[in-house]
Amino acid sequence: MKSSMPPSEEPCQDIESEQIKTQDAVPPDSSARDIPHSVFSNYMITYLTYLLGYLSLASSLTATIYFPIIDLLAERYHTSVQAINLTITLYVVFQGISPSFFSPLSDTFGRRPVFLVTFTIYLLAGVGLVANTNSYVALILLRGLQSIGGSAVLSLAYAVVADVVPHSQRGAILGPMLAATNLGPCIGPVVGGGAILASGNPRWCFATLVIFGASALLLIGWTMPETGRAVVGNGAVKAQGVWATWWQLVRSAFRRRSAGAQEAASGELEKGSKRADGSNEKEYAEKKAPVLVADDPNFGKTGRGKLSAPNPLPSVRLIFHRDTALILWLCATPYAVWYCIQTSIPLIYGPGYGFNDLEVGLSFLAGGGGVITGGVIAGRLMDWSFRKTAVKAGLSPDNKKNIDISSFPIEKARSTASIPIMLVSMFAVGGYGWAVHSHAHPAIPLILQFYIGAKCTVIHQIYSALIVDIFPSTPGTAAASNNICRCTLSAIVVAVLQPVVKGIGYSWLFTIIALVEGLSGIAAVWALRRRGLEWRNKRNR
């Protein structure tokens, strides 16, 4: 994979040429079995990997940039720290609600228009936060709006990955994508802490988010192709209208103008220009177009999505199935544990260890480094485990086509090594609480933050991929269900964190968290490996 981001116009040209080549190359008698999962080139998939990683910063960066400026915000808006923590809780609540509307919509209407709408909302909210000087009510409303705009991006990114790569390659894509995404927890607090020391004004933090939002919106508009399988199939169907990139629209407009106003007025374009063999373009297209079968991913696709009323209920319903409930719990608990640690860092290292604002921001880097490392490990572990399970089941994993998972134990393929990781994690999370309680040398909790960040990322990423794997036709809906669970649990944790710390201290708080997360997680993994395939098949009947 290439690690550098390509120029903005090359991805557009690349996907356009791929669509033309695929449409010309598929013979009329092609079977759906011979059609690849995706016609997007490796170059485009690499570009999408890092673009999605950058876009996903909208969720992680926007949340963590806030942590070091809590005290300053309380002073600026003439309110208490608890009131500012309420804005964090509200942000997390909307972080769970927003994807349940936007992600299912993207399954039918297309990924690209939903990305454009959500980032427009995100950008406008950021501008409002910069303009707001002293209104707490405006702060809480605009942060909620900012969460609505930025929180759907991660579930949309998982859906795009499901669109363009088969199960056997998803780890290789999710690893770098989430490593880029997880830069947010690293740089967010540093930016926040640095802004306080440099200016003493939280508006600079919000201005940073405006710059990020504007750049993200431009990248989506000019370079991000439509990948929704309900719109463009496996990518061979050419996107039309708003589903095409701005670059493709500009090129099409230029070509139409160059054709000449006189030719367009005479109706020649409707009749079609004559080819060398005497046929016009329409006749040629009909001759070359493949005869599609019902299970062909391109069957019935027009390059345009279908607008439907956003409905969060399908995402909510997934919570009540036995297999999906366990998977969603395994997604939510590590995320909530890590969010609990992130939220408590300013109070642990500020009043507890006497760090200044910048040093508090830098203390987030240890865990952030673990999160990035965990993302890379999870990607490689997922692909290795998938190949191993496929070979054991007598299958040959194909890098271009998906394995039919209706009889494939993908729950076992994804959950390899989960139980040992969780066992070690119980000691790390509990030890973190006692290290903080006893005021051990700051290097000890920082090292533990690194491990916990890596572990939480590995487990969360594996089971976030699994929930998308078992719903191949509606990956956006499945990813939104993940968001609902992880954000709801995180909001509860943030809401009760300070009262519980005052009551029993960090030592027993993290001991209880370690036992609940570890023991329930081990039980969930055991049940999934033993009964997951059976429950999934019963649900699909």
Side-chain angles (χ1 to χ4, degrees):
M1 277 192 181
K2 300 177 182 178
S3 59
S4 58
M5 185 171 290
S8 61
E9 72 178 60
E10 291 185 12
C12 306
Q13 293 171 329
D14 184 69
I15 186 58
E16 207 167 25
S17 62
E18 283 293 327
Q19 290 164 338
I20 293 170
K21 286 191 294 183
T22 304
Q23 289 170 338
D24 284 351
V26 178
D29 58 348
S30 289
S31 166
R33 296 178 182 272
D34 300 325
I35 297 175
H37 178 75
S38 167
V39 301
F40 290 92
S41 67
N42 291 335
Y43 181 81
M44 172 55 71
I45 291 172
T46 300
Y47 175 71
L48 284 174
T49 299
Y50 294 103
L51 175 62
L52 292 171
Y54 181 70
L55 298 180
S56 296
L57 286 172
S59 180
S60 58
L61 176 65
T62 308
T64 57
I65 200 174
Y66 207 65
F67 293 148
I69 64 174
I70 289 175
D71 290 333
L72 183 61
L73 288 171
E75 179 183 344
R76 170 75 57 167
Y77 294 102
H78 310 292
T79 188
S80 65
V81 171
Q82 186 63 31
I84 297 300
N85 280 338
L86 179 61
T87 68
I88 297 177
T89 301
L90 183 68
Y91 183 93
V92 177
V93 168
F94 280 115
Q95 204 173 28
I97 294 173
S98 173
S100 66
F101 287 89
F102 288 116
S103 298
L105 177 63
S106 76
D107 285 334
T108 57
F109 192 52
R111 316 292 181 207
R112 180 180 160 77
V114 175
F115 267 112
L116 289 170
V117 169
T118 54
F119 270 90
T120 299
I121 294 171
Y122 177 86
L123 180 59
L124 293 175
V127 172
L129 286 166
V130 172
N132 179 38
T133 56
N134 56 12
S135 172
Y136 173 73
V137 174
L139 173 69
I140 198 169
L141 292 176
L142 288 169
R143 278 292 284 182
L145 188 63
Q146 194 174 47
S147 179
I148 290 172
S151 298
V153 60
L154 192 56
S155 58
L156 292 172
Y158 272 103
V160 170
V161 171
D163 290 337
V164 300
V165 291
H167 299 104
S168 59
Q169 288 185 306
R170 287 180 189 171
I173 302 303
L174 289 172
M177 184 193 88
L178 293 177
T181 301
N182 292 327
L183 284 173
C186 296
I187 64 176
V190 176
V191 172
I196 293 174
L197 289 182
S199 66
N201 192 336
R203 294 172 68 184
W204 284 104
C205 295
F206 299 135
T208 301
L209 298 179
V210 169
I211 295 170
F212 162 74
S215 64
L217 188 61
L218 289 173
L219 285 170
I220 295 167
W222 286 102
T223 71
M224 186 177 189
E226 177 58 58
T227 64
R229 299 181 75 82
V231 180
V232 295
N234 67 355
V237 179
K238 186 175 181 180
Q240 307 291 330
V242 70
W243 293 269
T245 65
W246 296 345
W247 171 249
Q248 288 173 315
L249 293 175
V250 169
R251 290 184 66 194
S252 296
F254 179 78
R255 287 170 178 170
R256 285 195 299 269
R257 283 198 300 268
S258 64
Q262 185 176 3
E263 185 181 5
S266 66
E268 290 298 322
L269 291 180
E270 289 186 12
K271 296 177 182 177
S273 57
K274 292 291 183 179
R275 299 180 55 84
D277 61 2
S279 65
N280 61 29
E281 293 292 344
K282 182 177 180 181
E283 291 170 348
Y284 175 76
E286 290 173 349
K287 290 177 183 178
K288 297 295 290 182
V291 178
L292 302 178
V293 292
D295 57 347
D296 189 310
N298 303 318
F299 181 77
K301 307 306 186 298
T302 63
R304 296 178 181 273
K306 296 179 181 179
L307 181 61
S308 57
N311 182 8
L313 292 181
S315 298
V316 176
R317 279 198 294 266
L318 298 188
I319 300 171
F320 301 101
H321 299 295
R322 283 176 292 186
D323 59 331
T324 54
L326 294 178
I327 295 169
L328 291 170
W329 176 254
L330 289 165
C331 293
T333 47
Y335 185 87
V337 169
W338 186 237
Y339 213 90
C340 179
I341 289 177
Q342 291 270 86
T343 307
S344 62
I345 282 175
L347 296 176
I348 289 173
Y349 292 101
Y353 281 93
F355 286 12
N356 63 33
D357 292 322
L358 181 58
E359 289 170 338
V360 169
L362 292 172
S363 68
F364 283 83
L365 292 177
V371 167
I372 293 173
T373 303
V376 175
I377 293 172
R380 295 186 177 184
L381 177 62
M382 285 166 59
D383 285 352
W384 170 80
S385 178
F386 187 93
R387 287 193 296 269
K388 179 182 176 182
T389 307
V391 171
K392 189 174 180 181
L395 301 171
S396 177
D398 192 312
N399 286 337
K400 293 296 182 183
K401 303 185 187 74
N402 258 337
I403 288 177
D404 180 9
I405 64 167
S406 61
S407 58
F408 179 73
I410 195 165
E411 292 84 0
K412 290 184 178 180
R414 294 300 190 213
S415 61
T416 300
S418 292
I419 290 178
I421 292 172
M422 291 176 179
L423 283 171
V424 176
S425 172
M426 285 197 292
F427 293 98
V429 175
Y432 179 80
W434 287 100
V436 170
H437 174 76
S438 61
H439 291 281
H441 190 281
I444 295 176
L446 288 172
I447 291 171
L448 289 172
Q449 278 174 219
F450 179 90
Y451 173 78
I452 296 168
K455 166 262 169 183
C456 288
T457 302
V458 169
I459 299 299
H460 176 71
Q461 186 170 318
I462 286 171
Y463 292 97
S464 295
L466 179 57
I467 194 67
V468 171
D469 287 333
I470 62 175
F471 292 97
S473 61
T474 55
T477 301
S481 185
N482 179 10
N483 261 67
I484 293 171
C485 294
R486 68 185 178 90
C487 293
T488 300
L489 189 59
S490 298
I492 294 171
V493 167
V494 171
V496 304
L497 178 63
Q498 286 309 308
V500 173
V501 168
K502 288 180 181 178
I504 62 176
Y506 286 111
S507 55
W508 286 109
L509 167 67
F510 283 108
T511 299
I512 293 170
I513 288 174
L515 291 172
V516 171
E517 184 213 13
L519 295 177
S520 66
I522 290 170
V525 172
W526 180 84
L528 275 176
R529 292 181 66 84
R530 186 177 176 86
R531 304 285 300 277
L533 178 60
E534 175 191 341
W535 289 338
R536 172 158 52 92
N537 288 336
K538 284 183 179 179
R539 172 171 49 78
N540 290 333
R541 285 173 188 167

